[in-house]
Amino acid sequence: MVLEVAGFDITKRIVRPNGEVRYVRCVANPLVVDDATAKRMGIAIDVTEHELLTQELRQREISLQRSEAALRRSEKELREVIDAIPTIAWSALPDGSNTYVNKGFVEYSGLSPEQAAGSGWQAAAHPDDLQMSKWAAYLATSEPFEHEMRFRGADGRYRWHLCRGVPLRDEGGRILKWYGILFDIDELKKTESALQEREHELLGVIETIPSMLWSVSPTGQTTYLSQRVLEYCGAPLEELVNRGWERFIHPDDREETTKAFDRAISSGESYSAIHRLQRADGEYRWHHSMGEPLRDPHGKIIQWYGLATDIDERKRAEDHLRDMRIKLTRASRIATLAELSASIAHELNQPLMSVLANAQAGKRWLAANPPNLPETNASIERIIRDARAADEVMQHIRALFKQEPFEKKQVSIRDVLSEAVRFLHGDPRKHNASIDWQLGDDLPTVSVDLTQIQQVFINLISNAMEALEGSQMSPRIIVRASTTDQNQMLIQLIDNGPGVADQERIFDAFVTTKKNGMGVGLAVSRSIVEAHGGQLWAQNNPSGGATFSVALPLSSGQSNSSSGSGQTDSH
């Protein structure tokens, strides 16, 4: 029987007494002694370093394979990203031959990557912008570059693009490739062209403005002067910069003007100065110079803009008006005195006429046989009453000149109107006027100066009574009072006269329709009403005659009671 013994070759780890792990390769071959005996003979070799190196190489190979796969994925993802970005990307060899264009160029130009390869991309470039010498210069500098040119789109239209290129270099600085992008700037170019056109138009507008325009830096250094400035001064720009403009200002105005200018520059406030400026022919003319600062969003001044306007004619007119004003002031004093005299005479006319009428009546009663002493006594009482009324008028005129406030108190408008009518009925010429009263029973009181307001209604009722003077018709007057939604008391005096020709001008001083009138009654009446915070106006009635309306404010807290058709009396 022959024994078969196999050899082996294995690598295993062993642990040395110090705990270190080592790789050992054991190799053994069979050794046959005789048919009954078989042995192996082998060797053990420490292969730790070889094994570790082998494992490291194996890991590196695996990592390399993974890196290559990741790189392929990254390149794919990068191309997808480049194709997705909303712009055109490209790459080229150092000599400028195209090697790659992204999806953006393909979609824009209609050229496939194969058609754009090499120099094929030039088919999409505008012939006027494709200057190969300039491209050669860009490539020769080996530096990043920018260049504007037009490219034709798939629709056949050319659009402006900004081409940017950046070189990729190796460790020695040698260019390996060019990478770049194309930005569509067509709208920007159109805007730029429009701005240039607008700038040209603006410059034309500036030069046609009938003023001298200028601008200075935040420190006050001249940055611009319009052509009108140069022509007016008859000097070139070089003579006016660096504050050379100061020598053209009249010596008497120079110090004040420069102070105002320096104050504006240092404080940032508006600049304004009136001075005389010397013209090219040596004549000085008055100008008004104004300037305003232009600020950035943070409030910092970035420029000053201003203009100088010729006001020489205006200044001469002002001097002339100043002389005329002195002369007119003197004349105005005389006219004011005349107007004042007329106003006082008008205010005193009513009570004095009543005094005269009552004195004449008293004389007749005394001349009767036998004398009627009761009536005479009544006439004397009315004379005393009217004299006191005249005195009150004078007191109020004196208070008006002293600018003393009104002495207001709550009064019944019914009593004010009744007293005014009673006062007027003392005049024999007005005794027969018919009065139709339409006053509500629940009218609130009003806060007024009794004498002043009573004088207003005496004037208005007297005018209504005199509206038909010289006519065959008898005067008929409606006196109406009510409250309004505007918290006012509205009193209306309606007559059956001929109406008024001008419903506003009749309230002007010295405007009258009466033969012997002075034209101050309505002007004074409106002034009194407005001084009480009210209104006085006139309007013609559709059926004839005129209505004079007085609106007086009610005190706060008073209710707006609407008036009904009150009692009706005829006098």
Side-chain angles (χ1 to χ4, degrees):
M1 177 178 179
V2 180
L3 297 175
E4 294 184 0
V5 179
F8 61 86
D9 184 348
I10 62 174
T11 300
K12 58 184 178 179
R13 289 175 291 178
I14 63 172
V15 181
R16 297 182 62 185
N18 61 0
E20 180 185 6
V21 177
R22 304 289 295 182
Y23 284 90
V24 177
R25 181 181 179 183
C26 298
V27 180
N29 290 317
L31 178 64
V32 179
V33 178
D34 51 34
D35 294 340
T37 303
K39 292 184 178 181
R40 293 184 182 87
M41 182 174 287
I43 187 172
I45 305 171
D46 188 328
V47 293
T48 301
E49 287 72 13
H50 177 271
E51 184 65 25
L52 292 177
L53 181 59
T54 300
Q55 291 180 8
E56 183 179 353
L57 289 174
R58 189 178 299 113
Q59 290 297 326
R60 287 187 178 183
E61 182 178 1
I62 294 172
S63 297
L64 181 59
Q65 292 174 351
R66 290 176 179 173
S67 297
E68 290 177 348
L71 181 60
R72 287 192 295 271
R73 287 196 303 272
S74 297
E75 288 180 349
K76 181 181 178 182
E77 292 173 356
L78 180 59
R79 284 182 178 272
E80 291 176 351
V81 170
I82 293 175
D83 284 338
I85 59 176
T87 189
I88 297 172
W90 54 269
S91 66
L93 296 176
D95 63 358
S97 301
N98 181 266
T99 58
Y100 167 75
V101 289
N102 71 341
K103 185 179 178 181
F105 184 82
V106 173
E107 292 178 348
Y108 174 79
S109 67
L111 298 177
S112 66
E114 293 74 22
Q115 292 173 323
S119 60
W121 61 272
Q122 298 176 13
H126 195 286
D128 296 343
D129 304 332
L130 187 61
Q131 303 175 21
M132 297 311 297
S133 59
K134 182 174 290 189
W135 279 104
Y138 288 147
L139 298 175
T141 61
S142 302
E143 296 295 333
F145 66 85
E146 285 188 359
H147 179 64
E148 293 180 2
M149 60 187 304
R150 286 163 289 183
F151 282 91
R152 186 183 65 244
D155 58 0
R157 296 172 53 196
Y158 285 95
R159 293 179 65 85
W160 281 99
H161 288 75
L162 176 64
C163 180
R164 287 180 176 174
V166 178
L168 175 65
R169 305 175 186 273
D170 61 13
E171 294 179 355
R174 185 170 59 92
I175 295 179
L176 300 177
K177 261 189 177 183
W178 285 92
Y179 291 95
I181 54 178
L182 294 177
F183 289 108
D184 188 323
I185 59 170
D186 196 70
E187 296 300 328
L188 182 62
K189 288 287 287 187
K190 291 179 180 177
T191 302
E192 182 181 350
S193 177
L195 286 175
Q196 290 175 349
E197 184 177 350
R198 292 297 298 275
E199 183 179 0
H200 179 73
E201 293 176 357
L202 179 60
L203 185 60
V205 170
I206 289 175
E207 294 300 341
T208 56
I209 291 176
S211 294
M212 296 185 288
L213 280 73
W214 51 265
S215 68
V216 299
S217 67
T219 59
Q221 297 301 314
T222 303
T223 57
Y224 172 78
L225 294 173
S226 68
Q227 188 63 30
R228 287 182 180 270
V229 179
L230 306 180
E231 292 176 354
Y232 181 89
C233 296
L237 178 63
E238 293 74 19
E239 291 188 22
L240 298 173
V241 297
N242 298 324
R243 302 191 68 143
W245 51 268
E246 292 182 9
R247 74 179 182 86
F248 291 88
I249 298 175
H250 194 284
D252 295 343
D253 308 329
R254 190 173 300 156
E255 181 180 358
E256 189 63 31
T257 299
T258 54
K259 282 184 179 179
F261 182 79
D262 294 336
R263 183 166 54 249
I265 294 297
S266 60
S267 66
E269 297 176 353
S270 300
Y271 165 65
S272 178
I274 295 177
H275 53 73
R276 286 161 287 183
L277 194 63
Q278 187 180 32
R279 200 164 58 183
D281 59 3
E283 179 187 353
Y284 283 97
R285 293 182 63 84
W286 284 99
H287 284 76
H288 185 190
S289 294
M290 296 167 284
E292 292 290 341
L294 175 65
R295 303 176 184 270
D296 63 13
H298 303 290
K300 181 181 178 182
I301 296 176
I302 57 179
Q303 192 79 335
W304 282 84
Y305 293 97
L307 56 81
T309 304
D310 189 318
I311 60 169
D312 196 73
E313 298 300 328
R314 191 186 81 186
K315 285 288 290 183
R316 294 179 189 275
E318 287 177 355
D319 293 340
H320 177 69
L321 286 174
R322 191 179 300 109
D323 295 337
M324 291 297 297
R325 190 176 293 115
I326 295 173
K327 297 176 182 178
L328 288 174
T329 299
R330 189 178 296 109
S332 177
R333 290 172 183 167
I334 298 173
T336 301
L337 182 60
E339 181 179 349
L340 175 62
S341 300
S343 178
I344 294 174
H346 181 273
E347 293 294 322
L348 292 176
N349 183 60
Q350 292 292 345
L352 292 179
M353 289 298 296
S354 182
V355 167
L356 178 61
N358 283 296
Q360 292 172 341
K363 186 177 180 180
R364 287 195 302 272
W365 294 123
L366 285 175
N369 189 15
N372 192 332
L373 295 181
E375 289 293 342
T376 302
N377 186 61
S379 295
I380 294 173
E381 289 294 334
R382 287 194 291 271
I383 291 173
I384 295 173
R385 179 202 66 195
D386 295 336
R388 286 175 176 169
D391 179 64
E392 287 184 4
V393 169
M394 290 302 301
Q395 293 296 333
H396 281 277
I397 291 175
R398 185 180 295 109
L400 180 64
F401 280 108
K402 292 182 179 180
Q403 295 184 343
E404 295 177 356
F406 290 143
E407 295 181 3
K408 293 183 178 180
K409 60 182 180 180
Q410 296 290 338
V411 298
S412 166
I413 204 66
R414 180 193 299 275
D415 295 342
V416 173
L417 294 170
S418 298
E419 181 64 19
V421 171
R422 186 195 63 77
F423 180 84
L424 290 169
H425 275 169
D427 187 343
R429 296 174 302 172
K430 302 173 182 176
H431 183 74
N432 295 324
S434 174
I435 306 294
D436 183 3
W437 297 90
Q438 296 182 5
L439 308 179
D441 296 329
D442 52 353
L443 291 175
T445 59
V446 290
S447 178
V448 295
D449 183 294
L450 177 59
T451 303
Q452 294 280 7
I453 291 299
Q454 197 167 68
Q455 188 64 43
V456 170
F457 289 115
I458 288 175
N459 286 337
L460 296 178
I461 296 174
S462 176
N463 288 344
M465 290 178 173
E466 296 171 355
L468 289 172
E469 195 173 44
S471 172
Q472 299 299 321
M473 295 177 59
S474 298
R476 183 173 183 274
I477 304 169
I478 298 175
V479 180
R480 183 180 296 162
S482 62
T483 55
T484 69
D485 294 337
Q486 287 74 36
N487 202 34
Q488 292 179 321
M489 173 76 73
L490 178 63
I491 304 98
Q492 294 179 304
L493 305 173
I494 307 168
D495 62 49
N496 61 337
V500 293
D502 191 326
Q503 300 170 18
E504 267 304 314
R505 192 166 176 269
I506 58 172
F507 291 101
D508 294 340
F510 305 111
V511 174
T512 181
T513 57
K514 302 175 185 177
K515 182 178 180 181
N516 298 317
M518 303 189 67
V520 294
L522 289 177
V524 171
S525 297
R526 173 174 273 188
S527 298
I528 293 173
V529 173
E530 290 179 349
H532 281 76
Q535 294 175 292
L536 168 59
W537 69 95
Q539 57 191 127
N540 289 319
N541 304 323
S543 58
T547 298
F548 284 80
S549 301
V550 177
L552 294 172
L554 294 173
S555 302
S556 58
Q558 288 183 301
S559 60
N560 291 346
S561 303
S562 59
S563 65
S565 296
Q567 56 192 6
T568 300
D569 295 329
S570 296
H571 297 270

